[in-house]
Amino acid sequence: SVLVDVRPVVDFGIIETGAVKTEIFRPVSELPEPLRIVEIESVGDGFEAKILEDGKALGVTTAPNAGWGTHWDFVKLKTNSTLQKEIWVRLKANVHGAVIASVDPVDFSVVRQGSGAEEVVLIEAKSHVAINVESVRIDGAKFSYTIEACPERVGCARLKLKLDDGQPIGQIFGKAWVKFKNEKNLLPINIRGLVISKDQRIVELPPRVTSGGDSTPLAKSNLVEEIKAATTETLAAPVATTPPGKGPLLKWSVTHEEGDLHGYIIYRSDDKDGRFVLINDSIIKTLGSGSREAVDYQWRDNSATSGKSYWYYVGLIYNDGHKGKLTEPQKVVAK
């Protein structure tokens, strides 16, 4: 992503049913030229969107007829960038109606197939009147349910969800739709979890114990290195080739590249304390997978103006999209 925030979210929090709330989203990019929104491709149910400020911003509004419950959706946008033609912005809102759920989503975590695992959700009326549940429809997962009154509480019901023996192994992405008597709105409750087989073995990694006796979690990078050491042969480090051209040549060396590292990105600024922008069109992918030797990299900035001073630093980009920094800014004079 060319965005500073690689996973942008517009979170409306809790809103009352029928209310209208607007939030403004402004994409901040790492490109030299301003990033602009040119078109709204789609917007999730319960939301409305409008391009503002000549494409510099987007106004997102909750629809007055948005249904009850938690809304998780996207607004999909087209941009003027050739590097990133689309932006998907996550939209979140929790619409409170006359009846609300105590938890959403219901998290079953990791359960074994056939265990009959159960979870309970409290359904509460805001006006503390009696709740009359007519039916519950469950989509996307196999669960049975029962409805019970809350002991000594008015305006409350207990929805007990029980895992069916026929639920397949794998992730659970279900939804329970609760229908009430004398109420046209349904209350959706998301169900999440992971089903494993009856004999699936679960191994927990022990904490690393330091010389002082303190326990700290085992670092992911250390685990990756241990796995590599046990399962791979030592490979010769690739030899870096010098890119053609006359612009500033950046060189760096990396030993034991992290297993979840995808590659490197280059940032440039006219001033050390100025705005750094992304200048390489394509990611410089890692070369050191499987190698325990130092790996050398070279990249040339042929867009630089001769005689002008620039500041550069090398950034990191990981497989899940998040970014980091490998080096601090360094000054270079283009020849």
Side-chain angles (χ1 to χ4, degrees):
S1 176
V2 300
L3 299 180
V4 173
D5 182 359
V6 298
R7 286 182 172 80
V9 177
V10 175
D11 191 349
F12 290 86
I14 297 174
I15 61 174
E16 297 299 321
T17 183
V20 175
K21 186 177 181 180
T22 299
E23 296 284 350
I24 305 299
F25 167 71
R26 289 184 173 85
V28 180
S29 81
E30 299 174 324
L31 299 175
E33 299 299 325
L35 182 70
R36 296 183 184 274
I37 302 165
V38 297
E39 183 182 336
I40 299 172
E41 288 189 303
S42 64
V43 60
D45 291 339
F47 300 95
E48 300 169 354
K50 183 178 181 180
I51 298 174
L52 305 174
E53 301 173 15
D54 193 28
K56 295 180 182 178
L58 181 78
V60 186
T61 303
T62 55
N65 60 346
W68 294 354
T70 302
H71 292 254
W72 295 76
D73 219 313
F74 288 97
V75 55
K76 301 177 184 179
L77 311 170
K78 285 187 177 181
T79 77
N80 65 337
S81 169
T82 57
L83 288 182
Q84 184 166 340
K85 297 180 180 180
E86 285 188 338
I87 299 174
W88 289 24
V89 183
R90 169 73 78 176
L91 305 178
K92 294 172 59 179
N94 188 354
V95 179
H96 278 194
V99 181
I100 59 176
S102 61
V103 61
D104 185 13
V106 182
D107 186 7
F108 275 78
S109 188
V110 180
V111 293
R112 295 192 182 276
Q113 193 176 42
S115 64
E118 295 181 341
E119 291 288 343
V120 175
V121 183
L122 297 183
I123 301 174
E124 300 175 282
K126 293 169 62 177
S127 59
H128 301 290
V129 298
I131 293 179
N132 294 314
V133 177
E134 182 175 302
S135 63
V136 178
R137 185 183 83 242
I138 300 177
D139 296 337
K142 294 183 178 180
F143 285 84
S144 60
Y145 74 91
T146 56
I147 297 290
E148 304 171 352
C150 296
E152 300 179 359
R153 290 183 61 183
V154 178
C156 174
R158 289 162 49 93
L159 169 62
K160 182 182 293 185
L161 297 167
K162 182 177 180 180
L163 181 70
D164 192 282
D165 290 349
Q167 175 64 30
I169 295 171
Q171 287 185 294
I172 300 171
F173 290 100
K175 182 172 287 189
W177 295 91
V178 184
K179 183 178 181 181
F180 304 93
K181 295 180 181 178
N182 305 319
E183 178 59 62
K184 65 177 182 179
N185 290 291
L186 302 178
L187 177 64
I189 303 173
N190 295 284
I191 308 170
R192 298 290 183 263
L194 175 65
V195 179
I196 61 175
S197 64
K198 296 178 181 179
D199 57 352
Q200 177 70 49
R201 184 185 177 196
I202 299 177
V203 178
E204 294 187 9
L205 295 175
R208 168 168 292 180
V209 180
T210 65
S211 57
D214 296 330
S215 295
T216 55
L218 186 65
K220 182 178 180 181
S221 60
N222 293 334
L223 177 60
V224 170
E225 292 303 324
E226 290 175 19
I227 293 173
K228 282 184 178 181
T231 60
T232 63
E233 299 178 0
T234 300
L235 303 177
V239 178
T241 57
T242 303
K246 298 181 180 179
L249 181 64
L250 309 185
K251 298 180 180 181
W252 65 97
S253 183
V254 182
T255 304
H256 298 306
E257 288 178 328
E258 298 176 65
D260 59 348
L261 180 64
H262 182 72
Y264 304 93
I265 44 184
I266 311 299
Y267 293 88
R268 186 182 76 186
S269 175
D270 293 340
D271 184 84
K272 183 179 180 180
D273 299 320
R275 176 175 177 257
F276 281 84
V277 296
L278 182 67
I279 59 170
N280 57 319
D281 290 344
S282 58
I283 295 169
I284 304 163
K285 293 187 177 180
T286 55
L287 300 173
S289 178
S291 173
R292 299 178 197 173
E293 303 296 328
V295 182
D296 297 324
Y297 291 89
Q298 298 184 38
W299 185 86
R300 191 184 296 277
D301 181 14
N302 287 318
S303 67
T305 302
S306 178
K308 188 173 179 179
S309 296
Y310 298 97
W311 291 84
Y312 295 90
Y313 78 82
V314 180
L316 306 170
I317 186 163
Y318 293 84
N319 290 330
D320 65 358
H322 84 272
K323 300 171 184 177
K325 182 183 286 189
L326 179 68
T327 69
E328 293 301 319
Q330 298 183 36
K331 185 178 180 180
V332 177
V333 179
K335 295 182 180 179

